[in-house]
Amino acid sequence: MSDVPPATAAPADGREPSAPPVTGDDPALRAAYRLCRRRTRAEDPAEYALIQLVPAPLRPALHALWAAANALDDLGDDRTAPAAERAARVEAWITALHRELPTGTSPDPVRRALVDTATRWRLDLSELHDAMTQVRDDTDGRRFGDWTAWRAWGRDNLLPWFGQVRTVFDRSGVPVALRLDTRESYEEFLDGVRLTDILSDLSADLAQGDLLLPEEALDRHPGSADDLVRRRWSPAVAALVTDLTGLARRWVTQDSLDRGMHPGPATVLQTMAALLRAQLDAVDSAGPALLRARPRPSLRIRTRILAPARARAALAWSLTPLTVPPPQRPGPHRPPAAARPAPTAVLRLPPPHPSGQRPPRIPPGRLPHHVAVIMDGNGRWAQQRGLPRHEGHRAGATAAREVVHGALELGLRHLTLYTFSTENWSRDTEEVDALLDVLRRELDDDPFRDLDVRLRWHGRAGRLPPDLVDLLHLRERTTRTRTGLTLTMCIDYGGRDELTRTAAALARRTRSGHLDPDLITEDDFARHLPQPDLPDVDLLWRTGNEQRTSNFLPWHTAYAELHFTPGLWPDTDRRDLWRAVTAYTHRQRRHGTAPPGPALHPDAPLGVLRHSGNRAQENGGVT
């Protein structure tokens, strides 16, 4: 059976077609794919068994991805070389890959297969850049104070690689869509993959001086860290291992994760979970031997899991026609789509305003910490010019970029944009599709990739297109470590929906006995919000001559200063943001306390800056 994907669509039963493979005239490429396959089989039999559950034309791409990730890990883990040299080798490998992508080939066999896979399946390998550089950074060793830091490290490493696998399925015509309510389950599942791997490799890691467990977990079992460093089995170590294998089992047992998924990928996911649980059983049973060698489930147990999985997978794929793309050879002036340049390590400043105007100088103590914006008036702006409403949304996206530049120049820490509300679904289908397409294009263009902007998303995903959800998750993941402006995009967001979800979360905690309903505080409520670390809004600004908050961040805006302006959003630029913030600095924020001057009428509103204007129809979110 050929290891190189054929050019034609795969038969329904997943077997290789009889047509000669496109790369039949390239022995070096065929040898590169065979090498990736052999390495996968020899170094990770469980991963190899899982790849065997997918149709044969997809397997070479998955072998290439696995072999590339493992080649980087091997470079970083080679303790025959000092840390600085290992880091340099990893960096050289990454640099070579980005240099070779436009050429479509590589002298290194593993990179050669990876470059061909990226070109053929139109993978954007720049999405792997942060995960690859993490391997370089890990050569100096890793220590984690708590589970939060540990999860961030593990997810930053695993999520991008799993994302590439999902893209291969998408390109073959079998999208692996995840619902919003499974996102955390998906990431927890990968936490379980990482923890299982660490527990299984405990002996090898300890031999080279690595203990990749958070101090928070070690501290629960006093003495376990010292015992592990000395490679001494003790009651504390035994209790720690039991605790961690139980946690890993809960993480890899996500029954809702494959709900609604195509039966082919679902079978792979279910089998992976079963193999992980079997591996955890082997860890539990190993006892002191865990500190001397990697435990493995018995052949009988593996066969009991894999035999029925192969039958289910064969049936699922026999009913599924696949599309396997032919290789896309780069032309002399046309590099493949996968050759997007690697993200720059140095973040640049935003471009200046065309007028040359600079932001006002506002003392840090007077600057609002969090500005939220209702970007109103896109549709009306277009209608006034005789254009379709979706043209207003395109112009509004340009205005949003401009305001983000102004927020960076001003030194704001948080900017939240009401991008698409839960009420916006009631609009004309054509307008909704156009608006979502604008969002998709903006995320794909990634206009803030070189700026110190951390992108976050607040809202639901059940009704959003899966590819848009994936882009949102990708931008969140790749900007997570940035420390400048946090830009939160509220997409399919509604304030009442947010409060309802929070109440449901509190109810579940109460029912499980973790909360006393009579003792629930505001802090308890805030901790159960979908985005519990989103700070309170200091300034809420709405354009479009409307004076409503439109179901936007009701919890966070309880004490916000309100600022309404008559201009339509597409006519807005960074100077309007600067004026809004300057107006904010002239307010006296009292949070319910008495003003120092004469008493106000009890019905007088506090902290509202208004501009009068005609009222238009309420739409919420972007109009």
Side-chain angles (χ1 to χ4, degrees):
M1 182 180 290
S2 170
D3 288 296
V4 181
T8 57
D13 61 3
R15 294 175 298 183
E16 298 273 10
S18 58
V22 170
T23 51
D25 60 345
D26 189 345
L29 181 58
R30 294 176 62 81
Y33 274 114
R34 283 196 295 270
L35 174 65
C36 293
R37 179 177 182 269
R38 286 197 302 271
R39 285 191 176 179
T40 307
R41 185 172 190 174
E43 299 176 28
D44 195 340
E47 183 70 22
Y48 181 81
L50 289 170
I51 293 176
Q52 290 298 105
L53 298 179
V54 307
L58 277 62
R59 294 174 196 165
L62 305 189
H63 290 146
L65 286 165
W66 184 92
N70 207 48
L72 273 175
D73 285 341
D74 287 346
L75 288 174
D77 290 340
D78 180 11
R79 296 310 171 105
T80 62
E85 183 178 338
R86 286 183 278 126
R89 290 176 182 175
V90 173
E91 181 63 28
W93 199 98
I94 298 169
T95 301
L97 173 65
H98 287 296
R99 185 178 62 246
E100 293 157 357
L101 276 169
T103 72
T105 188
S106 170
D108 178 87
V110 172
R111 289 201 305 269
R112 189 184 189 101
L114 181 63
V115 167
D116 183 75
T117 291
T119 304
R120 184 181 183 84
W121 293 93
R122 293 178 292 118
L123 305 181
D124 184 357
L125 295 190
S126 68
E127 297 171 3
L128 295 173
H129 183 77
D130 288 347
M132 291 179 173
T133 55
Q134 185 191 84
V135 176
R136 177 200 64 198
D137 298 340
D138 285 350
T139 56
D140 285 331
R142 286 282 185 176
R143 291 293 183 270
F144 311 102
D146 54 27
W147 281 112
T148 300
W150 183 90
R151 287 190 186 96
W153 166 75
R155 293 179 183 186
D156 286 352
N157 181 267
L158 287 180
L159 278 167
W161 291 99
F162 273 73
Q164 297 295 317
V165 173
R166 290 178 59 198
T167 301
V168 170
F169 278 104
D170 288 347
R171 298 282 190 263
S172 72
V174 187
V176 185
L178 294 173
R179 306 182 312 276
L180 177 66
D181 59 349
T182 64
R183 177 190 172 193
E184 182 60 30
S185 298
Y186 175 60
E187 295 185 353
E188 269 198 358
F189 180 82
L190 295 185
D191 293 341
V193 173
R194 171 62 75 190
L195 184 53
T196 302
D197 188 55
I198 288 172
L199 292 171
S200 301
D201 288 339
L202 204 53
S203 59
D205 289 341
L206 291 173
Q208 57 190 24
D210 289 332
L211 181 55
L212 301 176
L213 296 171
E215 293 175 8
E216 178 182 348
L218 297 167
D219 290 346
R220 288 171 56 91
H221 303 279
S224 60
D226 289 339
D227 290 335
L228 284 171
V229 168
R230 292 176 172 81
R231 304 183 72 180
R232 181 175 60 203
W233 188 260
S234 67
V237 170
L240 171 69
V241 169
T242 299
D243 191 11
L244 294 181
T245 54
L247 181 61
R249 277 192 194 87
R250 290 196 296 274
W251 283 344
V252 301
T253 305
Q254 302 285 349
D255 294 333
S256 64
L257 191 55
D258 58 5
R259 191 176 302 152
M261 192 180 290
H262 181 281
T267 297
V268 175
L269 197 59
Q270 293 160 1
T271 307
M272 185 177 184
L275 288 172
L276 287 166
R277 288 191 292 269
Q279 181 64 35
L280 290 167
D281 290 341
V283 170
D284 264 336
S285 302
L290 181 64
L291 305 184
R292 298 193 298 271
R294 179 186 175 97
R296 295 188 183 278
S298 68
L299 176 62
R300 179 181 62 82
I301 291 174
R302 295 198 304 272
T303 302
R304 190 176 64 197
I305 294 171
L306 290 170
R310 293 187 187 111
R312 292 197 306 272
L315 176 60
W317 296 120
S318 70
L319 303 173
T320 306
L322 300 176
T323 301
V324 179
Q328 299 179 11
R329 301 298 183 191
H333 304 293
R334 185 184 175 191
R340 179 181 294 184
T344 177
V346 179
L347 298 173
R348 62 179 175 84
L349 297 174
H353 189 268
S355 70
Q357 186 171 340
R358 301 297 300 161
R361 294 183 178 180
I362 299 175
R366 300 291 294 167
L367 194 68
H369 185 66
H370 184 186
V371 176
V373 186
I374 301 176
M375 305 178 293
D376 198 3
N378 290 340
R380 283 176 281 155
W381 181 90
Q383 289 173 331
Q384 289 175 5
R385 289 159 176 76
L387 300 171
R389 289 177 63 89
H390 67 262
E391 291 299 331
H393 299 308
R394 296 185 194 282
T398 301
R401 293 189 187 190
E402 169 69 11
V403 167
V404 169
H405 293 159
L408 279 167
E409 288 184 306
L410 199 57
L412 285 182
R413 303 296 297 170
H414 286 268
L415 177 67
T416 298
L417 303 180
Y418 203 6
T419 309
F420 188 86
S421 75
T422 52
E423 290 81 8
N424 287 154
W425 291 107
S426 62
R427 296 188 181 182
D428 179 82
T429 302
E430 183 177 353
E431 182 182 355
V432 170
D433 290 343
L435 204 161
L436 295 177
D437 187 59
V438 169
L439 291 174
R440 186 182 291 106
R441 289 176 182 273
E442 282 294 293
L443 290 165
D444 192 53
D445 288 347
D446 197 11
F448 311 125
R449 74 165 64 88
D450 298 331
L451 302 178
D452 195 7
V453 176
R454 178 191 180 194
L455 182 65
R456 298 186 68 189
W457 162 42
H458 191 11
R460 284 185 173 269
R463 294 180 289 189
L464 293 175
D467 64 322
L468 179 59
V469 174
D470 284 344
L471 273 171
L472 287 165
H473 288 164
L474 173 65
R475 298 295 170 241
E476 281 189 317
R477 188 167 64 246
T478 55
T479 62
R480 188 191 59 79
T481 59
R482 297 185 181 179
T483 58
L485 174 71
T486 295
L487 173 63
T488 302
M489 299 174 64
C490 290
I491 301 175
D492 198 7
Y493 169 86
R496 289 184 173 180
D497 174 74
E498 177 184 31
L499 298 180
T500 301
R501 291 161 62 192
T502 304
L506 284 168
R508 287 192 294 270
R509 293 283 289 174
T510 301
R511 185 173 58 186
S512 65
H514 292 95
L515 281 176
D516 184 337
D518 295 325
L519 299 177
I520 292 176
T521 66
E522 289 186 11
D523 287 343
D524 292 321
F525 193 93
R527 281 195 296 270
H528 288 80
L529 288 165
Q531 294 284 0
D533 57 344
L534 186 69
D536 284 348
V537 173
D538 299 303
L539 172 64
L540 175 62
W541 169 31
R542 179 171 187 151
T543 63
N545 212 23
E546 298 295 334
Q547 299 183 9
R548 298 181 298 276
T549 58
S550 298
N551 198 27
F552 185 39
L553 299 175
W555 179 267
H556 303 85
T557 58
Y559 285 100
E561 303 293 322
L562 307 181
H563 185 63
F564 303 114
T565 55
L568 303 179
W569 179 252
D571 293 325
T572 300
D573 71 12
R574 70 187 77 181
R575 294 170 298 180
D576 296 290
L577 172 68
W578 297 342
R579 283 189 283 268
V581 171
T582 300
Y584 166 88
T585 65
H586 297 154
R587 302 300 303 172
Q588 292 183 1
R589 306 198 71 202
R590 295 183 291 272
H591 297 284
T593 62
L600 294 177
H601 187 279
D603 294 330
L606 298 181
V608 180
L609 306 175
R610 298 179 181 269
H611 287 268
S612 61
N614 295 328
R615 296 177 61 83
Q617 182 180 1
E618 167 69 70
N619 285 300
V622 185
T623 62

PDB file of all heavy atoms in Angstrom, residues 3 86-87 210-211 241 316 326 357 369 410 412 444 456 461 477 483 487 501 506 518 552 558 583 588 623:
ATOM      1  N   ASP A   3       2.299   4.906   0.675  1.00  0.00           N
ATOM      2  CA  ASP A   3       2.258   5.831   1.798  1.00  0.00           C
ATOM      3  C   ASP A   3       1.964   7.246   1.351  1.00  0.00           C
ATOM      4  O   ASP A   3       1.806   8.144   2.166  1.00  0.00           O
ATOM      5  CB  ASP A   3       3.596   5.822   2.553  1.00  0.00           C
ATOM      6  CG  ASP A   3       3.772   4.539   3.331  1.00  0.00           C
ATOM      7  OD1 ASP A   3       2.983   4.302   4.254  1.00  0.00           O
ATOM      8  OD2 ASP A   3       4.697   3.795   3.000  1.00  0.00           O
ATOM      9  N   ARG A  86      20.688  22.825  22.391  1.00  0.00           N
ATOM     10  CA  ARG A  86      19.400  22.227  22.021  1.00  0.00           C
ATOM     11  C   ARG A  86      18.419  23.293  21.544  1.00  0.00           C
ATOM     12  O   ARG A  86      17.694  23.094  20.569  1.00  0.00           O
ATOM     13  CB  ARG A  86      18.819  21.462  23.212  1.00  0.00           C
ATOM     14  CG  ARG A  86      19.534  20.146  23.479  1.00  0.00           C
ATOM     15  CD  ARG A  86      18.909  19.377  24.614  1.00  0.00           C
ATOM     16  NE  ARG A  86      19.373  19.846  25.914  1.00  0.00           N
ATOM     17  CZ  ARG A  86      18.600  20.243  26.905  1.00  0.00           C
ATOM     18  NH1 ARG A  86      17.286  20.260  26.754  1.00  0.00           N
ATOM     19  NH2 ARG A  86      19.113  20.629  28.053  1.00  0.00           N
ATOM     20  N   ALA A  87      18.384  24.424  22.251  1.00  0.00           N
ATOM     21  CA  ALA A  87      17.497  25.515  21.842  1.00  0.00           C
ATOM     22  C   ALA A  87      17.863  26.018  20.450  1.00  0.00           C
ATOM     23  O   ALA A  87      16.984  26.305  19.625  1.00  0.00           O
ATOM     24  CB  ALA A  87      17.565  26.655  22.853  1.00  0.00           C
ATOM     25  N   ASP A 210      13.534  16.447  34.874  1.00  0.00           N
ATOM     26  CA  ASP A 210      12.280  17.166  34.642  1.00  0.00           C
ATOM     27  C   ASP A 210      11.177  16.610  35.536  1.00  0.00           C
ATOM     28  O   ASP A 210      11.018  15.390  35.658  1.00  0.00           O
ATOM     29  CB  ASP A 210      11.840  17.034  33.181  1.00  0.00           C
ATOM     30  CG  ASP A 210      12.732  17.823  32.246  1.00  0.00           C
ATOM     31  OD1 ASP A 210      13.299  18.839  32.701  1.00  0.00           O
ATOM     32  OD2 ASP A 210      12.861  17.429  31.074  1.00  0.00           O
ATOM     33  N   LEU A 211      10.418  17.494  36.140  1.00  0.00           N
ATOM     34  CA  LEU A 211       9.230  17.120  36.898  1.00  0.00           C
ATOM     35  C   LEU A 211       8.121  18.054  36.429  1.00  0.00           C
ATOM     36  O   LEU A 211       7.996  19.191  36.889  1.00  0.00           O
ATOM     37  CB  LEU A 211       9.462  17.254  38.400  1.00  0.00           C
ATOM     38  CG  LEU A 211       8.277  16.860  39.304  1.00  0.00           C
ATOM     39  CD1 LEU A 211       7.803  15.441  38.989  1.00  0.00           C
ATOM     40  CD2 LEU A 211       8.677  16.966  40.771  1.00  0.00           C
ATOM     41  N   VAL A 241       0.145   9.757  42.605  1.00  0.00           N
ATOM     42  CA  VAL A 241      -0.145   9.092  41.331  1.00  0.00           C
ATOM     43  C   VAL A 241      -1.616   8.698  41.265  1.00  0.00           C
ATOM     44  O   VAL A 241      -2.281   8.888  40.234  1.00  0.00           O
ATOM     45  CB  VAL A 241       0.771   7.864  41.154  1.00  0.00           C
ATOM     46  CG1 VAL A 241       0.314   7.014  39.972  1.00  0.00           C
ATOM     47  CG2 VAL A 241       2.216   8.311  40.970  1.00  0.00           C
ATOM     48  N   ALA A 316     -18.089   3.233   9.066  1.00  0.00           N
ATOM     49  CA  ALA A 316     -18.342   4.674   8.955  1.00  0.00           C
ATOM     50  C   ALA A 316     -17.726   5.240   7.684  1.00  0.00           C
ATOM     51  O   ALA A 316     -18.372   5.988   6.942  1.00  0.00           O
ATOM     52  CB  ALA A 316     -17.783   5.391  10.182  1.00  0.00           C
ATOM     53  N   PRO A 326      -5.236  17.127  -4.909  1.00  0.00           N
ATOM     54  CA  PRO A 326      -3.940  16.837  -5.540  1.00  0.00           C
ATOM     55  C   PRO A 326      -2.894  17.803  -5.007  1.00  0.00           C
ATOM     56  O   PRO A 326      -3.225  18.834  -4.420  1.00  0.00           O
ATOM     57  CB  PRO A 326      -4.219  17.094  -7.030  1.00  0.00           C
ATOM     58  CG  PRO A 326      -5.297  18.132  -7.016  1.00  0.00           C
ATOM     59  CD  PRO A 326      -6.160  17.803  -5.826  1.00  0.00           C
ATOM     60  N   GLN A 357      -2.158  63.590  14.224  1.00  0.00           N
ATOM     61  CA  GLN A 357      -2.584  63.914  15.588  1.00  0.00           C
ATOM     62  C   GLN A 357      -2.190  62.798  16.540  1.00  0.00           C
ATOM     63  O   GLN A 357      -2.299  61.615  16.221  1.00  0.00           O
ATOM     64  CB  GLN A 357      -4.095  64.144  15.629  1.00  0.00           C
ATOM     65  CG  GLN A 357      -4.610  64.628  16.970  1.00  0.00           C
ATOM     66  CD  GLN A 357      -6.074  65.049  16.899  1.00  0.00           C
ATOM     67  OE1 GLN A 357      -6.587  65.334  15.827  1.00  0.00           O
ATOM     68  NE2 GLN A 357      -6.740  65.076  18.041  1.00  0.00           N
ATOM     69  N   HIS A 369      -9.850  51.827  32.869  1.00  0.00           N
ATOM     70  CA  HIS A 369      -9.230  50.507  32.714  1.00  0.00           C
ATOM     71  C   HIS A 369      -9.911  49.714  31.604  1.00  0.00           C
ATOM     72  O   HIS A 369      -9.253  48.955  30.882  1.00  0.00           O
ATOM     73  CB  HIS A 369      -9.317  49.743  34.041  1.00  0.00           C
ATOM     74  CG  HIS A 369      -8.612  48.421  34.039  1.00  0.00           C
ATOM     75  ND1 HIS A 369      -7.244  48.315  33.921  1.00  0.00           N
ATOM     76  CD2 HIS A 369      -9.081  47.149  34.135  1.00  0.00           C
ATOM     77  CE1 HIS A 369      -6.896  47.032  33.934  1.00  0.00           C
ATOM     78  NE2 HIS A 369      -7.995  46.309  34.067  1.00  0.00           N
ATOM     79  N   LEU A 410      -3.268  55.099  23.250  1.00  0.00           N
ATOM     80  CA  LEU A 410      -3.691  55.726  24.499  1.00  0.00           C
ATOM     81  C   LEU A 410      -3.208  54.953  25.725  1.00  0.00           C
ATOM     82  O   LEU A 410      -3.118  55.499  26.824  1.00  0.00           O
ATOM     83  CB  LEU A 410      -5.218  55.836  24.503  1.00  0.00           C
ATOM     84  CG  LEU A 410      -5.881  56.822  25.451  1.00  0.00           C
ATOM     85  CD1 LEU A 410      -5.364  58.231  25.228  1.00  0.00           C
ATOM     86  CD2 LEU A 410      -7.397  56.774  25.248  1.00  0.00           C
ATOM     87  N   LEU A 412      -4.799  51.982  26.726  1.00  0.00           N
ATOM     88  CA  LEU A 412      -5.907  51.267  27.359  1.00  0.00           C
ATOM     89  C   LEU A 412      -5.525  49.810  27.602  1.00  0.00           C
ATOM     90  O   LEU A 412      -4.778  49.210  26.829  1.00  0.00           O
ATOM     91  CB  LEU A 412      -7.161  51.309  26.480  1.00  0.00           C
ATOM     92  CG  LEU A 412      -7.956  52.607  26.408  1.00  0.00           C
ATOM     93  CD1 LEU A 412      -9.173  52.410  25.521  1.00  0.00           C
ATOM     94  CD2 LEU A 412      -8.374  53.063  27.792  1.00  0.00           C
ATOM     95  N   ASP A 444      -9.416  36.192   9.497  1.00  0.00           N
ATOM     96  CA  ASP A 444      -8.472  35.534   8.599  1.00  0.00           C
ATOM     97  C   ASP A 444      -7.329  36.478   8.231  1.00  0.00           C
ATOM     98  O   ASP A 444      -6.169  36.070   8.175  1.00  0.00           O
ATOM     99  CB  ASP A 444      -9.194  35.054   7.345  1.00  0.00           C
ATOM    100  CG  ASP A 444      -8.337  34.106   6.519  1.00  0.00           C
ATOM    101  OD1 ASP A 444      -7.842  33.123   7.089  1.00  0.00           O
ATOM    102  OD2 ASP A 444      -8.153  34.363   5.316  1.00  0.00           O
ATOM    103  N   ARG A 456      -9.817  38.211  22.538  1.00  0.00           N
ATOM    104  CA  ARG A 456     -10.705  37.291  23.254  1.00  0.00           C
ATOM    105  C   ARG A 456     -12.100  37.375  22.636  1.00  0.00           C
ATOM    106  O   ARG A 456     -12.463  38.365  22.008  1.00  0.00           O
ATOM    107  CB  ARG A 456     -10.765  37.649  24.739  1.00  0.00           C
ATOM    108  CG  ARG A 456      -9.437  37.550  25.447  1.00  0.00           C
ATOM    109  CD  ARG A 456      -9.579  37.770  26.925  1.00  0.00           C
ATOM    110  NE  ARG A 456     -10.310  36.693  27.560  1.00  0.00           N
ATOM    111  CZ  ARG A 456     -10.729  36.718  28.825  1.00  0.00           C
ATOM    112  NH1 ARG A 456     -10.493  37.790  29.569  1.00  0.00           N
ATOM    113  NH2 ARG A 456     -11.363  35.695  29.351  1.00  0.00           N
ATOM    114  N   ALA A 461     -21.510  29.849  20.623  1.00  0.00           N
ATOM    115  CA  ALA A 461     -21.063  29.364  19.325  1.00  0.00           C
ATOM    116  C   ALA A 461     -22.037  28.417  18.666  1.00  0.00           C
ATOM    117  O   ALA A 461     -21.816  28.008  17.542  1.00  0.00           O
ATOM    118  CB  ALA A 461     -19.722  28.662  19.464  1.00  0.00           C
ATOM    119  N   ARG A 477      -5.939  31.721  21.036  1.00  0.00           N
ATOM    120  CA  ARG A 477      -4.823  30.878  21.456  1.00  0.00           C
ATOM    121  C   ARG A 477      -3.476  31.515  21.097  1.00  0.00           C
ATOM    122  O   ARG A 477      -2.548  31.520  21.908  1.00  0.00           O
ATOM    123  CB  ARG A 477      -4.956  29.515  20.788  1.00  0.00           C
ATOM    124  CG  ARG A 477      -3.987  28.466  21.277  1.00  0.00           C
ATOM    125  CD  ARG A 477      -4.404  27.100  20.784  1.00  0.00           C
ATOM    126  NE  ARG A 477      -4.355  26.977  19.340  1.00  0.00           N
ATOM    127  CZ  ARG A 477      -5.404  26.798  18.561  1.00  0.00           C
ATOM    128  NH1 ARG A 477      -6.617  26.715  19.081  1.00  0.00           N
ATOM    129  NH2 ARG A 477      -5.281  26.670  17.243  1.00  0.00           N
ATOM    130  N   THR A 483       0.531  41.123  26.408  1.00  0.00           N
ATOM    131  CA  THR A 483       0.263  41.844  27.656  1.00  0.00           C
ATOM    132  C   THR A 483      -0.185  43.283  27.446  1.00  0.00           C
ATOM    133  O   THR A 483      -0.305  44.031  28.409  1.00  0.00           O
ATOM    134  CB  THR A 483       1.530  41.844  28.532  1.00  0.00           C
ATOM    135  OG1 THR A 483       2.609  42.447  27.807  1.00  0.00           O
ATOM    136  CG2 THR A 483       1.921  40.429  28.920  1.00  0.00           C
ATOM    137  N   LEU A 487      -8.427  42.892  23.620  1.00  0.00           N
ATOM    138  CA  LEU A 487      -9.569  43.221  22.771  1.00  0.00           C
ATOM    139  C   LEU A 487     -10.568  42.077  22.851  1.00  0.00           C
ATOM    140  O   LEU A 487     -10.290  40.967  22.394  1.00  0.00           O
ATOM    141  CB  LEU A 487      -9.111  43.429  21.328  1.00  0.00           C
ATOM    142  CG  LEU A 487     -10.211  43.624  20.288  1.00  0.00           C
ATOM    143  CD1 LEU A 487     -11.014  44.892  20.572  1.00  0.00           C
ATOM    144  CD2 LEU A 487      -9.632  43.653  18.877  1.00  0.00           C
ATOM    145  N   ARG A 501     -27.090  32.054  31.976  1.00  0.00           N
ATOM    146  CA  ARG A 501     -26.083  30.991  32.028  1.00  0.00           C
ATOM    147  C   ARG A 501     -25.359  30.986  33.368  1.00  0.00           C
ATOM    148  O   ARG A 501     -25.025  29.929  33.918  1.00  0.00           O
ATOM    149  CB  ARG A 501     -25.087  31.168  30.887  1.00  0.00           C
ATOM    150  CG  ARG A 501     -25.671  30.898  29.506  1.00  0.00           C
ATOM    151  CD  ARG A 501     -24.833  31.507  28.410  1.00  0.00           C
ATOM    152  NE  ARG A 501     -23.485  30.960  28.364  1.00  0.00           N
ATOM    153  CZ  ARG A 501     -22.489  31.489  27.654  1.00  0.00           C
ATOM    154  NH1 ARG A 501     -22.697  32.591  26.951  1.00  0.00           N
ATOM    155  NH2 ARG A 501     -21.304  30.932  27.645  1.00  0.00           N
ATOM    156  N   LEU A 506     -24.582  28.564  38.840  1.00  0.00           N
ATOM    157  CA  LEU A 506     -24.735  28.616  40.299  1.00  0.00           C
ATOM    158  C   LEU A 506     -25.686  27.525  40.781  1.00  0.00           C
ATOM    159  O   LEU A 506     -25.459  26.909  41.828  1.00  0.00           O
ATOM    160  CB  LEU A 506     -25.254  29.991  40.719  1.00  0.00           C
ATOM    161  CG  LEU A 506     -24.232  31.144  40.694  1.00  0.00           C
ATOM    162  CD1 LEU A 506     -24.952  32.471  40.848  1.00  0.00           C
ATOM    163  CD2 LEU A 506     -23.197  30.964  41.790  1.00  0.00           C
ATOM    164  N   ASP A 518     -28.257  30.269  50.427  1.00  0.00           N
ATOM    165  CA  ASP A 518     -28.499  31.421  51.298  1.00  0.00           C
ATOM    166  C   ASP A 518     -27.247  32.255  51.537  1.00  0.00           C
ATOM    167  O   ASP A 518     -27.325  33.346  52.122  1.00  0.00           O
ATOM    168  CB  ASP A 518     -29.047  30.942  52.645  1.00  0.00           C
ATOM    169  CG  ASP A 518     -30.418  30.291  52.510  1.00  0.00           C
ATOM    170  OD1 ASP A 518     -31.201  30.765  51.655  1.00  0.00           O
ATOM    171  OD2 ASP A 518     -30.688  29.318  53.226  1.00  0.00           O
ATOM    172  N   PHE A 552     -26.218  44.885  26.702  1.00  0.00           N
ATOM    173  CA  PHE A 552     -24.772  44.747  26.578  1.00  0.00           C
ATOM    174  C   PHE A 552     -24.115  44.818  27.947  1.00  0.00           C
ATOM    175  O   PHE A 552     -24.188  45.839  28.641  1.00  0.00           O
ATOM    176  CB  PHE A 552     -24.234  45.863  25.678  1.00  0.00           C
ATOM    177  CG  PHE A 552     -22.768  45.765  25.361  1.00  0.00           C
ATOM    178  CD1 PHE A 552     -22.152  44.546  25.103  1.00  0.00           C
ATOM    179  CD2 PHE A 552     -21.992  46.914  25.291  1.00  0.00           C
ATOM    180  CE1 PHE A 552     -20.805  44.468  24.801  1.00  0.00           C
ATOM    181  CE2 PHE A 552     -20.637  46.847  24.977  1.00  0.00           C
ATOM    182  CZ  PHE A 552     -20.049  45.615  24.730  1.00  0.00           C
ATOM    183  N   ALA A 558     -22.622  48.068  35.569  1.00  0.00           N
ATOM    184  CA  ALA A 558     -23.482  48.564  36.645  1.00  0.00           C
ATOM    185  C   ALA A 558     -23.083  49.969  37.097  1.00  0.00           C
ATOM    186  O   ALA A 558     -23.934  50.787  37.456  1.00  0.00           O
ATOM    187  CB  ALA A 558     -23.456  47.593  37.824  1.00  0.00           C
ATOM    188  N   ALA A 583     -13.537  62.959  27.959  1.00  0.00           N
ATOM    189  CA  ALA A 583     -14.769  63.313  28.668  1.00  0.00           C
ATOM    190  C   ALA A 583     -14.908  62.500  29.953  1.00  0.00           C
ATOM    191  O   ALA A 583     -15.340  63.013  30.991  1.00  0.00           O
ATOM    192  CB  ALA A 583     -15.973  63.093  27.755  1.00  0.00           C
ATOM    193  N   GLN A 588     -16.766  62.656  37.957  1.00  0.00           N
ATOM    194  CA  GLN A 588     -16.473  62.244  39.331  1.00  0.00           C
ATOM    195  C   GLN A 588     -17.182  60.920  39.573  1.00  0.00           C
ATOM    196  O   GLN A 588     -18.406  60.877  39.672  1.00  0.00           O
ATOM    197  CB  GLN A 588     -16.963  63.292  40.337  1.00  0.00           C
ATOM    198  CG  GLN A 588     -16.195  64.598  40.290  1.00  0.00           C
ATOM    199  CD  GLN A 588     -16.668  65.562  41.363  1.00  0.00           C
ATOM    200  OE1 GLN A 588     -17.554  65.233  42.153  1.00  0.00           O
ATOM    201  NE2 GLN A 588     -16.081  66.753  41.398  1.00  0.00           N
ATOM    202  N   THR A 623     -25.548  47.943  14.046  1.00  0.00           N
ATOM    203  CA  THR A 623     -26.651  48.326  13.150  1.00  0.00           C
ATOM    204  C   THR A 623     -26.117  49.116  11.982  1.00  0.00           C
ATOM    205  O   THR A 623     -24.964  49.474  11.930  1.00  0.00           O
ATOM    206  CB  THR A 623     -27.693  49.156  13.902  1.00  0.00           C
ATOM    207  OG1 THR A 623     -27.079  50.352  14.375  1.00  0.00           O
ATOM    208  CG2 THR A 623     -28.264  48.378  15.057  1.00  0.00           C
TER     209      THR A 623
END
